[in-house]
Amino acid sequence: MVTIRLVQGDITEQSADAVVNAANSSLLGGGGVDGAIHRAGGPEILAECRALRASRYGRGLPVGQAVATTAGRLPARWVIHTVGPVFSREEDRSELLASCHRESLRIADEIGARTVAFPAVSTGVYGWPPEDAARIAVETVRAARTSVEEVRFVLFDERAYRAFAERLD
């Protein structure tokens, strides 16, 4: 069974086998967590992302999928990039958000990662309410069949931290 921990802080400072990047589908960096990981990790991450775009993901990484690259200068071995869905009140996209977590753990198993640090996927500019994102993330991780021993949710602000903490009580 996976141990789930919460940390309020900066995901780029986490010492873990893998950190999950809430990427955009281009894989070429952006704002929020994505931009922070690319900036802190350095050009090695972008170089591998460009290679992925030139080969398997010419149209970008689909929403709900995940892929791993080097972590560059981050204190992790790998970055697992996943593209979260944009929140919608008109359409239930929670299965796509759950898929981000399941697929990230599947990739973690493939690369042999035992500790994985996740951000609150889709809660930034993609507008997912942190309380609902926490419910989906925690339920999905708890139900996952994985060799990952520890999942650390690294939450940037107090609201997200509280939302995840309520789910773990």
Side-chain angles (χ1 to χ4, degrees):
M1 185 156 155
V2 177
T3 299
I4 299 175
R5 289 186 46 226
L6 301 181
V7 175
Q8 186 172 348
D10 182 343
I11 197 162
T12 67
E13 297 173 355
Q14 293 300 305
S15 180
D17 292 333
V19 294
V20 175
N21 180 17
N24 64 51
S25 64
S26 77
L27 294 174
L28 302 178
V33 169
D34 194 18
I37 284 176
H38 275 271
R39 281 189 304 277
E44 299 88 355
I45 297 172
L46 183 58
E48 283 194 32
C49 285
R50 283 191 172 130
L52 286 167
R53 285 297 306 271
S55 60
R56 298 193 336 221
Y57 300 106
R59 292 188 168 159
L61 184 64
V63 173
Q65 297 300 303
V67 65
T69 66
T70 181
R73 290 181 246 155
L74 295 174
R77 294 180 63 193
W78 300 283
V79 173
I80 299 172
H81 305 266
T82 191
V83 181
V86 174
F87 179 74
S88 169
R89 294 196 186 287
E90 291 76 40
E91 178 186 354
D92 182 5
R93 298 179 179 164
S94 29
E95 179 49 39
L96 287 169
L97 185 54
S99 180
C100 290
H101 295 84
R102 267 194 311 276
E103 287 298 302
S104 293
L105 291 172
R106 183 183 64 76
I107 294 294
D109 285 340
E110 285 180 7
I111 61 180
R114 295 293 175 255
T115 56
V116 178
F118 277 90
V121 177
S122 286
T123 63
V125 296
Y126 287 5
W128 210 286
E131 296 75 15
D132 193 47
R135 176 188 62 80
I136 293 165
V138 170
E139 286 176 3
T140 303
V141 167
R142 281 183 170 153
R145 291 187 134 144
T146 182
S147 297
V148 171
E149 296 166 4
E150 178 186 298
V151 164
R152 193 176 315 146
F153 287 107
V154 182
L155 307 152
F156 191 71
D157 63 26
E158 182 65 30
R159 179 180 176 195
Y161 186 90
R162 278 194 318 269
F164 277 77
E166 287 174 11
R167 283 290 154 190
L168 292 181
D169 287 343

